[in-house]
mmCIF file of all heavy atoms in Angstrom:
data_model
loop_
_atom_site.group_PDB
_atom_site.id
_atom_site.type_symbol
_atom_site.label_atom_id
_atom_site.label_comp_id
_atom_site.label_asym_id
_atom_site.label_seq_id
_atom_site.Cartn_x
_atom_site.Cartn_y
_atom_site.Cartn_z
ATOM 1 N N LEU M 168 2.910 -23.902 17.739
ATOM 2 C CA LEU M 168 2.774 -25.435 18.065
ATOM 3 C C LEU M 168 1.362 -25.889 17.999
ATOM 4 O O LEU M 168 0.575 -25.330 18.582
ATOM 5 C CB LEU M 168 3.438 -25.747 19.341
ATOM 6 C CG LEU M 168 4.916 -25.659 19.454
ATOM 7 C CD1 LEU M 168 5.480 -25.901 20.850
ATOM 8 C CD2 LEU M 168 5.574 -26.740 18.545
ATOM 9 N N SER M 172 1.224 -31.939 18.672
ATOM 10 C CA SER M 172 2.659 -32.137 18.659
ATOM 11 C C SER M 172 3.303 -32.101 20.067
ATOM 12 O O SER M 172 4.489 -32.478 20.214
ATOM 13 C CB SER M 172 3.251 -31.049 17.752
ATOM 14 O OG SER M 172 3.147 -29.750 18.327
ATOM 15 N N LEU M 173 2.592 -31.509 21.043
ATOM 16 C CA LEU M 173 3.083 -31.478 22.309
ATOM 17 C C LEU M 173 3.554 -32.711 23.087
ATOM 18 O O LEU M 173 4.538 -32.843 23.640
ATOM 19 C CB LEU M 173 2.158 -30.542 23.290
ATOM 20 C CG LEU M 173 2.048 -29.105 22.691
ATOM 21 C CD1 LEU M 173 1.064 -28.303 23.642
ATOM 22 C CD2 LEU M 173 3.293 -28.372 22.650
ATOM 23 N N PRO M 174 2.605 -33.596 23.187
ATOM 24 C CA PRO M 174 2.944 -34.858 23.833
ATOM 25 C C PRO M 174 4.268 -35.492 23.441
ATOM 26 O O PRO M 174 5.220 -35.736 24.272
ATOM 27 C CB PRO M 174 1.843 -35.786 23.704
ATOM 28 C CG PRO M 174 0.728 -34.928 23.619
ATOM 29 C CD PRO M 174 1.228 -33.704 22.742
ATOM 30 N N PRO M 175 4.528 -35.691 22.105
ATOM 31 C CA PRO M 175 5.772 -36.388 21.709
ATOM 32 C C PRO M 175 6.910 -35.364 22.039
ATOM 33 O O PRO M 175 8.003 -35.826 22.531
ATOM 34 C CB PRO M 175 5.672 -36.499 20.207
ATOM 35 C CG PRO M 175 4.215 -36.318 19.841
ATOM 36 C CD PRO M 175 3.591 -35.577 20.940
ATOM 37 N N LEU M 176 6.808 -34.092 21.893
ATOM 38 C CA LEU M 176 7.886 -33.188 22.302
ATOM 39 C C LEU M 176 8.274 -33.237 23.690
ATOM 40 O O LEU M 176 9.474 -33.271 24.122
ATOM 41 C CB LEU M 176 7.543 -31.682 21.806
ATOM 42 C CG LEU M 176 7.537 -31.527 20.309
ATOM 43 C CD1 LEU M 176 6.930 -30.028 20.100
ATOM 44 C CD2 LEU M 176 8.892 -31.569 19.823
ATOM 45 N N LEU M 177 7.238 -33.130 24.487
ATOM 46 C CA LEU M 177 7.547 -33.213 25.975
ATOM 47 C C LEU M 177 7.995 -34.588 26.451
ATOM 48 O O LEU M 177 8.915 -34.526 27.336
ATOM 49 C CB LEU M 177 6.239 -32.823 26.712
ATOM 50 C CG LEU M 177 5.846 -31.316 26.621
ATOM 51 C CD1 LEU M 177 4.591 -31.073 27.272
ATOM 52 C CD2 LEU M 177 6.841 -30.366 27.017
ATOM 53 N N MET M 178 7.583 -35.607 25.937
ATOM 54 C CA MET M 178 8.011 -36.937 26.307
ATOM 55 C C MET M 178 9.495 -37.028 25.917
ATOM 56 O O MET M 178 10.311 -37.569 26.617
ATOM 57 C CB MET M 178 7.349 -38.051 25.650
ATOM 58 C CG MET M 178 5.824 -38.184 26.254
ATOM 59 S SD MET M 178 5.838 -38.563 28.037
ATOM 60 C CE MET M 178 6.435 -40.263 27.905
ATOM 61 N N HIS M 179 9.882 -36.504 24.741
ATOM 62 C CA HIS M 179 11.260 -36.492 24.238
ATOM 63 C C HIS M 179 12.095 -35.648 25.198
ATOM 64 O O HIS M 179 13.251 -35.998 25.611
ATOM 65 C CB HIS M 179 11.348 -36.058 22.809
ATOM 66 C CG HIS M 179 12.745 -35.997 22.359
ATOM 67 N ND1 HIS M 179 13.537 -37.131 21.973
ATOM 68 C CD2 HIS M 179 13.593 -34.928 22.197
ATOM 69 C CE1 HIS M 179 14.654 -36.711 21.617
ATOM 70 N NE2 HIS M 179 14.876 -35.433 21.641
ATOM 71 N N ALA M 180 11.610 -34.519 25.596
ATOM 72 C CA ALA M 180 12.386 -33.628 26.534
ATOM 73 C C ALA M 180 12.590 -34.347 27.914
ATOM 74 O O ALA M 180 13.636 -34.204 28.417
ATOM 75 C CB ALA M 180 11.540 -32.270 26.665
ATOM 76 N N LEU M 181 11.538 -35.163 28.390
ATOM 77 C CA LEU M 181 11.637 -35.689 29.527
ATOM 78 C C LEU M 181 12.636 -36.911 29.565
ATOM 79 O O LEU M 181 13.466 -37.313 30.510
ATOM 80 C CB LEU M 181 10.283 -36.207 30.140
ATOM 81 C CG LEU M 181 9.440 -35.186 30.644
ATOM 82 C CD1 LEU M 181 8.037 -35.795 30.993
ATOM 83 C CD2 LEU M 181 10.090 -34.504 31.958
ATOM 84 N N SER M 182 12.689 -37.580 28.424
ATOM 85 C CA SER M 182 13.582 -38.753 28.280
ATOM 86 C C SER M 182 15.063 -38.203 28.212
ATOM 87 O O SER M 182 15.946 -39.033 28.505
ATOM 88 C CB SER M 182 13.245 -39.472 26.964
ATOM 89 O OG SER M 182 13.662 -38.863 25.757
ATOM 90 N N ARG M 183 15.182 -36.979 27.805
ATOM 91 C CA ARG M 183 16.631 -36.383 27.829
ATOM 92 C C ARG M 183 16.572 -35.207 28.882
ATOM 93 O O ARG M 183 17.039 -34.113 28.640
ATOM 94 C CB ARG M 183 16.985 -35.902 26.515
ATOM 95 C CG ARG M 183 16.898 -37.021 25.347
ATOM 96 C CD ARG M 183 17.182 -36.398 24.003
ATOM 97 N NE ARG M 183 18.323 -35.610 24.103
ATOM 98 C CZ ARG M 183 19.062 -35.361 23.061
ATOM 99 N NH1 ARG M 183 18.806 -35.916 21.859
ATOM 100 N NH2 ARG M 183 20.106 -34.526 23.142
ATOM 101 N N ASN M 184 16.067 -35.458 30.047
ATOM 102 C CA ASN M 184 15.704 -34.451 30.974
ATOM 103 C C ASN M 184 16.999 -33.558 31.314
ATOM 104 O O ASN M 184 16.705 -32.349 31.462
ATOM 105 C CB ASN M 184 15.313 -35.102 32.394
ATOM 106 C CG ASN M 184 14.832 -34.006 33.298
ATOM 107 O OD1 ASN M 184 14.128 -33.154 33.015
ATOM 108 N ND2 ASN M 184 15.407 -34.172 34.571
ATOM 109 N N ASP M 185 18.105 -34.012 31.365
ATOM 110 C CA ASP M 185 19.293 -33.097 31.689
ATOM 111 C C ASP M 185 19.989 -32.704 30.435
ATOM 112 O O ASP M 185 21.200 -32.183 30.654
ATOM 113 C CB ASP M 185 20.197 -33.951 32.633
ATOM 114 C CG ASP M 185 19.574 -34.194 34.026
ATOM 115 O OD1 ASP M 185 18.751 -33.352 34.382
ATOM 116 O OD2 ASP M 185 20.066 -35.139 34.591
ATOM 117 N N PHE M 186 19.427 -32.591 29.390
ATOM 118 C CA PHE M 186 20.065 -32.146 28.164
ATOM 119 C C PHE M 186 19.152 -30.983 27.632
ATOM 120 O O PHE M 186 17.974 -31.168 27.429
ATOM 121 C CB PHE M 186 20.277 -33.083 27.093
ATOM 122 C CG PHE M 186 20.949 -32.647 25.789
ATOM 123 C CD1 PHE M 186 22.214 -32.563 25.793
ATOM 124 C CD2 PHE M 186 20.156 -32.396 24.789
ATOM 125 C CE1 PHE M 186 22.857 -32.006 24.575
ATOM 126 C CE2 PHE M 186 20.776 -31.739 23.567
ATOM 127 C CZ PHE M 186 22.126 -31.603 23.592
ATOM 128 N N PRO M 187 19.719 -29.820 27.326
ATOM 129 C CA PRO M 187 21.083 -29.366 27.393
ATOM 130 C C PRO M 187 21.523 -28.945 28.698
ATOM 131 O O PRO M 187 22.694 -28.684 28.979
ATOM 132 C CB PRO M 187 21.215 -28.277 26.323
ATOM 133 C CG PRO M 187 19.872 -27.590 26.427
ATOM 134 C CD PRO M 187 18.869 -28.725 26.750
ATOM 135 N N ASP M 188 20.624 -28.746 29.620
ATOM 136 C CA ASP M 188 20.929 -28.392 31.013
ATOM 137 C C ASP M 188 20.156 -29.239 31.942
ATOM 138 O O ASP M 188 19.168 -29.914 31.647
ATOM 139 C CB ASP M 188 20.413 -26.950 31.160
ATOM 140 C CG ASP M 188 21.074 -26.008 30.291
ATOM 141 O OD1 ASP M 188 22.297 -25.878 30.223
ATOM 142 O OD2 ASP M 188 20.372 -25.207 29.562
ATOM 143 N N VAL M 189 20.621 -29.213 33.271
ATOM 144 C CA VAL M 189 20.064 -30.112 34.275
ATOM 145 C C VAL M 189 18.526 -29.793 34.352
ATOM 146 O O VAL M 189 18.155 -28.554 34.327
ATOM 147 C CB VAL M 189 20.747 -29.799 35.603
ATOM 148 C CG1 VAL M 189 19.954 -30.540 36.672
ATOM 149 C CG2 VAL M 189 22.140 -30.340 35.528
ATOM 150 N N ASP M 190 17.679 -30.700 34.282
ATOM 151 C CA ASP M 190 16.295 -30.643 34.402
ATOM 152 C C ASP M 190 15.651 -29.855 33.340
ATOM 153 O O ASP M 190 14.438 -29.325 33.523
ATOM 154 C CB ASP M 190 15.833 -30.079 35.815
ATOM 155 C CG ASP M 190 16.155 -31.071 37.019
ATOM 156 O OD1 ASP M 190 16.000 -32.277 36.725
ATOM 157 O OD2 ASP M 190 16.541 -30.597 38.004
ATOM 158 N N ALA M 191 16.239 -29.753 32.235
ATOM 159 C CA ALA M 191 15.629 -28.964 31.109
ATOM 160 C C ALA M 191 14.303 -29.599 30.669
ATOM 161 O O ALA M 191 13.364 -28.848 30.316
ATOM 162 C CB ALA M 191 16.575 -29.030 29.934
ATOM 163 N N GLY M 192 14.108 -30.900 30.707
ATOM 164 C CA GLY M 192 12.907 -31.572 30.285
ATOM 165 C C GLY M 192 11.725 -31.239 31.357
ATOM 166 O O GLY M 192 10.608 -30.818 30.866
ATOM 167 N N LEU M 193 11.993 -31.305 32.585
ATOM 168 C CA LEU M 193 11.025 -30.920 33.502
ATOM 169 C C LEU M 193 10.653 -29.322 33.435
ATOM 170 O O LEU M 193 9.495 -28.970 33.629
ATOM 171 C CB LEU M 193 11.521 -31.234 34.928
ATOM 172 C CG LEU M 193 11.518 -32.749 35.333
ATOM 173 C CD1 LEU M 193 12.228 -33.045 36.573
ATOM 174 C CD2 LEU M 193 10.098 -33.206 35.300
ATOM 175 N N HIS M 194 11.707 -28.543 33.186
ATOM 176 C CA HIS M 194 11.344 -27.130 33.000
ATOM 177 C C HIS M 194 10.436 -26.842 31.837
ATOM 178 O O HIS M 194 9.473 -26.089 31.788
ATOM 179 C CB HIS M 194 12.617 -26.267 32.713
ATOM 180 C CG HIS M 194 13.420 -26.097 34.038
ATOM 181 N ND1 HIS M 194 12.957 -25.207 35.086
ATOM 182 C CD2 HIS M 194 14.663 -26.609 34.433
ATOM 183 C CE1 HIS M 194 13.945 -25.221 36.060
ATOM 184 N NE2 HIS M 194 14.866 -26.080 35.682
ATOM 185 N N SER M 195 10.659 -27.639 30.726
ATOM 186 C CA SER M 195 9.819 -27.565 29.618
ATOM 187 C C SER M 195 8.355 -28.067 29.947
ATOM 188 O O SER M 195 7.366 -27.426 29.569
ATOM 189 C CB SER M 195 10.300 -28.469 28.446
ATOM 190 O OG SER M 195 11.558 -28.064 28.008
ATOM 191 N N VAL M 196 8.116 -29.148 30.727
ATOM 192 C CA VAL M 196 6.887 -29.481 31.129
ATOM 193 C C VAL M 196 6.157 -28.366 31.934
ATOM 194 O O VAL M 196 5.013 -28.080 31.758
ATOM 195 C CB VAL M 196 6.887 -30.831 32.031
ATOM 196 C CG1 VAL M 196 5.580 -31.111 32.641
ATOM 197 C CG2 VAL M 196 7.386 -31.977 31.158
ATOM 198 N N TRP M 197 6.942 -27.748 32.934
ATOM 199 C CA TRP M 197 6.378 -26.668 33.674
ATOM 200 C C TRP M 197 5.974 -25.552 32.844
ATOM 201 O O TRP M 197 4.868 -24.963 33.036
ATOM 202 C CB TRP M 197 7.339 -26.050 34.709
ATOM 203 C CG TRP M 197 6.839 -25.094 35.637
ATOM 204 C CD1 TRP M 197 7.018 -23.756 35.423
ATOM 205 C CD2 TRP M 197 5.986 -25.237 36.761
ATOM 206 N NE1 TRP M 197 6.303 -23.166 36.482
ATOM 207 C CE2 TRP M 197 5.716 -24.010 37.203
ATOM 208 C CE3 TRP M 197 5.370 -26.437 37.260
ATOM 209 C CZ2 TRP M 197 4.818 -23.842 38.305
ATOM 210 C CZ3 TRP M 197 4.601 -26.159 38.373
ATOM 211 C CH2 TRP M 197 4.383 -24.913 38.886
ATOM 212 N N GLN M 198 6.534 -25.214 31.664
ATOM 213 C CA GLN M 198 6.045 -24.196 30.768
ATOM 214 C C GLN M 198 4.723 -24.401 30.167
ATOM 215 O O GLN M 198 4.047 -23.495 29.897
ATOM 216 C CB GLN M 198 7.194 -23.926 29.730
ATOM 217 C CG GLN M 198 8.488 -23.473 30.188
ATOM 218 C CD GLN M 198 8.452 -22.176 30.910
ATOM 219 O OE1 GLN M 198 7.725 -21.231 30.347
ATOM 220 N NE2 GLN M 198 8.908 -22.092 32.098
ATOM 221 N N PHE M 199 4.403 -25.697 30.088
ATOM 222 C CA PHE M 199 3.096 -26.082 29.532
ATOM 223 C C PHE M 199 2.162 -26.479 30.627
ATOM 224 O O PHE M 199 1.078 -27.026 30.351
ATOM 225 C CB PHE M 199 3.193 -27.146 28.509
ATOM 226 C CG PHE M 199 3.969 -26.645 27.216
ATOM 227 C CD1 PHE M 199 5.246 -26.946 26.925
ATOM 228 C CD2 PHE M 199 3.117 -26.136 26.195
ATOM 229 C CE1 PHE M 199 5.907 -26.462 25.871
ATOM 230 C CE2 PHE M 199 3.747 -25.645 25.032
ATOM 231 C CZ PHE M 199 5.165 -25.854 24.864
ATOM 232 N N PHE M 215 7.881 -28.462 42.092
ATOM 233 C CA PHE M 215 7.512 -29.356 41.179
ATOM 234 C C PHE M 215 8.478 -30.232 40.655
ATOM 235 O O PHE M 215 8.409 -31.564 40.608
ATOM 236 C CB PHE M 215 6.907 -28.594 39.900
ATOM 237 C CG PHE M 215 6.777 -29.309 38.670
ATOM 238 C CD1 PHE M 215 5.814 -30.372 38.468
ATOM 239 C CD2 PHE M 215 7.667 -29.118 37.619
ATOM 240 C CE1 PHE M 215 5.661 -31.115 37.398
ATOM 241 C CE2 PHE M 215 7.475 -29.982 36.443
ATOM 242 C CZ PHE M 215 6.565 -30.924 36.310
ATOM 243 N N HIS M 220 11.135 -35.678 40.565
ATOM 244 C CA HIS M 220 12.157 -36.509 40.824
ATOM 245 C C HIS M 220 11.978 -37.544 41.955
ATOM 246 O O HIS M 220 12.355 -38.671 41.843
ATOM 247 C CB HIS M 220 13.538 -35.692 41.220
ATOM 248 C CG HIS M 220 14.314 -35.133 40.014
ATOM 249 N ND1 HIS M 220 14.886 -35.891 39.003
ATOM 250 C CD2 HIS M 220 14.376 -33.861 39.497
ATOM 251 C CE1 HIS M 220 15.421 -35.230 38.236
ATOM 252 N NE2 HIS M 220 15.152 -33.851 38.441
ATOM 253 N N PHE M 230 4.414 -41.997 35.841
ATOM 254 C CA PHE M 230 4.609 -41.095 34.689
ATOM 255 C C PHE M 230 6.009 -40.616 34.622
ATOM 256 O O PHE M 230 6.772 -40.761 33.570
ATOM 257 C CB PHE M 230 3.584 -39.964 34.608
ATOM 258 C CG PHE M 230 3.873 -39.082 33.459
ATOM 259 C CD1 PHE M 230 3.675 -39.418 32.037
ATOM 260 C CD2 PHE M 230 4.441 -37.921 33.771
ATOM 261 C CE1 PHE M 230 3.924 -38.589 31.087
ATOM 262 C CE2 PHE M 230 4.709 -36.985 32.574
ATOM 263 C CZ PHE M 230 4.497 -37.308 31.366
ATOM 264 N N TYR M 231 6.446 -39.898 35.661
ATOM 265 C CA TYR M 231 7.785 -39.238 35.570
ATOM 266 C C TYR M 231 8.831 -40.394 35.645
ATOM 267 O O TYR M 231 9.846 -40.192 35.012
ATOM 268 C CB TYR M 231 7.849 -38.215 36.700
ATOM 269 C CG TYR M 231 7.121 -37.039 36.483
ATOM 270 C CD1 TYR M 231 5.898 -36.728 37.230
ATOM 271 C CD2 TYR M 231 7.313 -36.092 35.440
ATOM 272 C CE1 TYR M 231 5.151 -35.611 36.922
ATOM 273 C CE2 TYR M 231 6.680 -35.086 35.314
ATOM 274 C CZ TYR M 231 5.518 -34.864 35.949
ATOM 275 O OH TYR M 231 4.645 -33.799 35.723
ATOM 276 N N SER M 233 8.893 -43.390 34.436
ATOM 277 C CA SER M 233 8.898 -43.939 33.114
ATOM 278 C C SER M 233 9.393 -42.920 31.972
ATOM 279 O O SER M 233 10.232 -43.248 31.239
ATOM 280 C CB SER M 233 7.463 -44.484 32.802
ATOM 281 O OG SER M 233 7.416 -45.037 31.419
ATOM 282 N N ALA M 234 8.758 -41.690 32.026
ATOM 283 C CA ALA M 234 9.156 -40.770 31.031
ATOM 284 C C ALA M 234 10.671 -40.409 31.148
ATOM 285 O O ALA M 234 11.379 -40.199 30.132
ATOM 286 C CB ALA M 234 8.238 -39.591 31.116
ATOM 287 N N MET M 235 11.116 -40.200 32.270
ATOM 288 C CA MET M 235 12.605 -39.729 32.487
ATOM 289 C C MET M 235 13.493 -40.875 32.155
ATOM 290 O O MET M 235 14.687 -40.796 31.964
ATOM 291 C CB MET M 235 12.852 -39.079 33.842
ATOM 292 C CG MET M 235 12.105 -37.761 33.819
ATOM 293 S SD MET M 235 12.477 -36.692 35.214
ATOM 294 C CE MET M 235 12.038 -37.646 36.620
ATOM 295 N N ALA M 236 12.949 -42.141 32.237
ATOM 296 C CA ALA M 236 13.791 -43.370 31.785
ATOM 297 C C ALA M 236 13.674 -43.698 30.393
ATOM 298 O O ALA M 236 14.172 -44.703 29.975
ATOM 299 C CB ALA M 236 13.454 -44.543 32.702
ATOM 300 N N GLY M 237 13.017 -42.910 29.600
ATOM 301 C CA GLY M 237 12.911 -43.074 28.218
ATOM 302 C C GLY M 237 11.838 -44.029 27.890
ATOM 303 O O GLY M 237 11.753 -44.583 26.752
ATOM 304 N N GLY M 238 10.814 -44.312 28.735
ATOM 305 C CA GLY M 238 9.724 -45.233 28.515
ATOM 306 C C GLY M 238 8.800 -44.847 27.325
ATOM 307 O O GLY M 238 8.787 -43.647 27.059
ATOM 308 N N TRP M 240 5.141 -44.529 25.281
ATOM 309 C CA TRP M 240 3.857 -44.204 25.634
ATOM 310 C C TRP M 240 3.021 -44.160 24.385
ATOM 311 O O TRP M 240 3.551 -44.352 23.200
ATOM 312 C CB TRP M 240 3.856 -42.787 26.118
ATOM 313 C CG TRP M 240 4.272 -41.759 25.201
ATOM 314 C CD1 TRP M 240 5.602 -41.506 24.966
ATOM 315 C CD2 TRP M 240 3.650 -40.965 24.350
ATOM 316 N NE1 TRP M 240 5.815 -40.567 23.934
ATOM 317 C CE2 TRP M 240 4.634 -40.181 23.568
ATOM 318 C CE3 TRP M 240 2.302 -40.761 24.128
ATOM 319 C CZ2 TRP M 240 4.206 -39.342 22.561
ATOM 320 C CZ3 TRP M 240 1.898 -39.801 23.153
ATOM 321 C CH2 TRP M 240 2.874 -39.151 22.391
#
Side-chain angles (χ1 to χ4, degrees):
L168 288 175
S172 68
L173 294 180
L176 289 173
L177 292 175
M178 291 299 288
H179 179 73
L181 286 172
S182 73
R183 299 175 53 153
N184 185 49
D185 290 333
F186 181 81
D188 300 306
V189 173
D190 292 325
L193 288 168
H194 286 289
S195 293
V196 170
W197 184 258
Q198 293 302 311
F199 289 96
F215 162 73
H220 278 291
F230 171 76
Y231 290 109
S233 178
M235 291 193 300
W240 60 279

